[in-house]
Amino acid sequence: MSRNPRSGNSQSLTLVIKLGTSSICDIETNLPLLSNLSLLVETIVKLRSLGHRVVLVTSGAIGIGLRRLNMDKKPKKLNEIQAVAAIGQGRLMRMYDDLFSQLNQPIAQVLLTRHDLADRTQYLNAVNTFSALLNMGVVPVVNENDTISVSEIKFGDNDTLSAITAGMVNADYLFLMTDVDCLYTDNPTTNPNAKPVKVVEDVSALRDKVIVSSPGSSLGTGGMVTKLIAAELATAAGVTTIICRGSAPKNIISIINHPFSNNNQNSESLPLHTRFLAKDNPMLDRKWWILHGLHSVGTIFIDEGAVKAVTKVGQKSSLFAAGIVKVEGYFVANQAVDLKIERTIKHEDTNEVETVMIGKGLVNYSSIEISRIKGFQSSDIENLLGYADSECVIHRDNLVITIKTDD
């Protein structure tokens, strides 16, 4: 098992580099850390000269905006935070453009929201724009469009945004640059016995072995928890994910020049970092889009028979009305919903209901229609509704299973 980047060699790689707020702005003064940024820009230009394609996902708009307004703390009201981000975003891009221009490297601003990616056509347009920019030799600089994003449809943090961007550009590597060298089993500043985690094959299994409860900086929205989520998203798309120190971006070159192998698991000669190995069977583009590009607007609860049908190895079925127990939320056809099951856990004195996430999919019927046809056979749909747009509620091509199966 090599788990090397999808391109199979280091001659020409696609890299997504995410720089966090703590690597861009001083958390006390909000002043830009020009030394860090200059080193990053030099590294990206060097990577470009080596034939690699690079996308930069940046935070820092709020920190730069606070400095421009001489404000000490981030506001609490959403509209005020968005206003500060709007002020900071322009100055942040100007700063990047000034630095990259010194080395004659063109850049492009790309502002995204989850809403932009909810429509399949818009998602593909974004993918095509990234492809065109990279083919032109441009470095796309990506940030969330905080000015218009609302909490319900935000990516939540730029770690998640960087993982989704990595999936969109079919990246070989995602680098999550932070203020520590790597992931540790606990916070190394408070626990001297904390040990570095160098290679991760299964993020889900890792969560039981490490403590990552610490939040991000006062200016940022992330922390190590969000980096684990981002690593899980990216590796599912076939992207090798690295956590390393943001103040030493030149380490990126050393890391990509030494792909992972079973005989050389993070060689001692390499800079300290954590490597999350890409999945051997990455998720198809359309299912990746359904799972990570779309906001779930409701929930369909199914029975055990339906769970077995949609998860059965080798012949995963579509979801039919007969296996649906109940519906929550209001939605229309072609929107994304979560698929769940409620299981009763019996104890000596009481029974406990456990809700388990099964997957996510695009529905062929509205919530009102599904409420009327749930529990019935497909042959009954026309009699119940007066029409039958589809024999299934979610087609298997539009269904992503998230619960672990044996395949």
Side-chain angles (χ1 to χ4, degrees), residues 40-41 97 142 205 214 249 254 275 289 353:
L40 176 70
V41 168
D97 193 48
V142 184
S214 58
S254 300
R275 183 184 300 253
W289 166 70
V353 177

Side-chain angles (χ1 to χ4, degrees), residues 164-337:
I164 291 176
T165 301
M168 292 172 70
V169 300
N170 289 320
D172 295 285
Y173 283 100
L174 167 62
F175 283 87
L176 300 173
M177 314 297 285
T178 185
D179 53 4
V180 293
D181 291 308
C182 64
L183 174 68
Y184 288 85
T185 54
D186 198 352
N187 189 338
T189 60
T190 58
N191 182 358
N193 296 319
K195 300 184 184 304
V197 178
K198 294 187 177 182
V199 179
V200 178
E201 292 193 40
D202 187 338
V203 179
S204 299
L206 176 73
R207 288 196 176 95
D208 298 330
K209 302 175 183 177
V210 299
I211 300 172
V212 290
S213 57
S214 58
S217 70
S218 59
L219 296 178
T221 58
M224 202 55 74
V225 174
T226 62
K227 286 171 180 56
L228 289 186
I229 295 171
E232 194 163 29
L233 300 187
T235 53
V239 183
T240 299
T241 303
I242 307 290
I243 292 177
C244 58
R245 185 173 288 276
S247 59
K250 289 185 178 180
N251 290 342
I252 293 173
I253 297 173
S254 300
I255 292 169
I256 65 173
N257 284 338
H258 294 82
F260 173 85
S261 69
N262 289 328
N263 296 326
N264 184 24
Q265 298 192 14
N266 274 12
S267 168
E268 295 299 326
S269 63
L270 286 176
L272 189 59
H273 66 282
T274 299
R275 183 184 300 253
F276 297 85
L277 303 182
K279 297 295 184 183
D280 289 326
N281 300 304
M283 197 175 293
L284 296 175
D285 174 72
R286 180 174 177 81
K287 295 203 171 186
W288 163 264
W289 166 70
I290 291 172
L291 189 58
H292 303 303
L294 300 183
H295 173 65
S296 296
V297 292
T299 303
I300 293 176
F301 290 87
I302 60 177
D303 60 26
E304 291 288 356
V307 172
K308 291 179 181 178
V310 299
T311 61
K312 189 173 182 179
V313 176
Q315 56 180 70
K316 293 177 180 177
S317 169
S318 300
L319 176 65
F320 295 92
I324 297 175
V325 177
K326 68 177 180 178
V327 183
E328 286 186 355
Y330 175 79
F331 49 86
V332 298
N334 297 314
Q335 286 192 292
V337 300

Side-chain angles (χ1 to χ4, degrees), residues 77-95:
K77 292 182 179 179
L78 177 62
N79 63 335
E80 293 179 354
I81 295 174
Q82 290 175 319
V84 171
I87 294 166
Q89 180 62 32
R91 297 180 71 85
L92 179 65
M93 281 305 300
R94 178 184 173 182
M95 186 167 58

Side-chain angles (χ1 to χ4, degrees), residues 39-227:
L39 284 172
L40 176 70
V41 168
E42 290 176 8
T43 300
I44 291 175
V45 173
K46 177 65 174 178
L47 288 165
R48 288 278 306 115
S49 72
L50 294 172
H52 304 307
R53 296 145 60 96
V54 184
V55 178
L56 174 62
V57 178
T58 182
S59 301
I62 292 174
I64 298 294
L66 290 174
R67 178 63 186 177
R68 182 68 182 91
L69 296 171
N70 293 317
M71 296 173 63
D72 295 328
K73 295 182 180 179
K74 184 166 69 174
K76 294 183 179 180
K77 292 182 179 179
L78 177 62
N79 63 335
E80 293 179 354
I81 295 174
Q82 290 175 319
V84 171
I87 294 166
Q89 180 62 32
R91 297 180 71 85
L92 179 65
M93 281 305 300
R94 178 184 173 182
M95 186 167 58
Y96 278 124
D97 193 48
D98 287 344
L99 291 169
F100 277 105
S101 293
Q102 297 298 317
L103 300 174
N104 200 31
Q105 172 61 55
I107 65 171
Q109 175 178 255
V110 180
L111 296 177
L112 294 174
T113 67
R114 192 179 287 275
H115 180 71
D116 295 329
L117 308 182
D119 178 82
R120 180 65 176 171
T121 301
Q122 290 183 199
Y123 173 85
L124 292 175
N125 284 343
V127 170
N128 291 336
T129 299
F130 274 122
S131 179
L133 288 169
L134 292 170
N135 289 337
M136 292 175 182
V138 174
V139 174
V141 180
V142 184
N143 200 355
E144 182 161 14
N145 194 346
D146 290 314
T147 304
I148 61 173
S149 292
V150 294
S151 58
E152 289 81 4
I153 59 171
K154 281 178 68 67
F155 290 106
D157 58 86
N158 278 4
D159 292 325
T160 302
L161 174 59
S162 68
I164 291 176
T165 301
M168 292 172 70
V169 300
N170 289 320
D172 295 285
Y173 283 100
L174 167 62
F175 283 87
L176 300 173
M177 314 297 285
T178 185
D179 53 4
V180 293
D181 291 308
C182 64
L183 174 68
Y184 288 85
T185 54
D186 198 352
N187 189 338
T189 60
T190 58
N191 182 358
N193 296 319
K195 300 184 184 304
V197 178
K198 294 187 177 182
V199 179
V200 178
E201 292 193 40
D202 187 338
V203 179
S204 299
L206 176 73
R207 288 196 176 95
D208 298 330
K209 302 175 183 177
V210 299
I211 300 172
V212 290
S213 57
S214 58
S217 70
S218 59
L219 296 178
T221 58
M224 202 55 74
V225 174
T226 62
K227 286 171 180 56

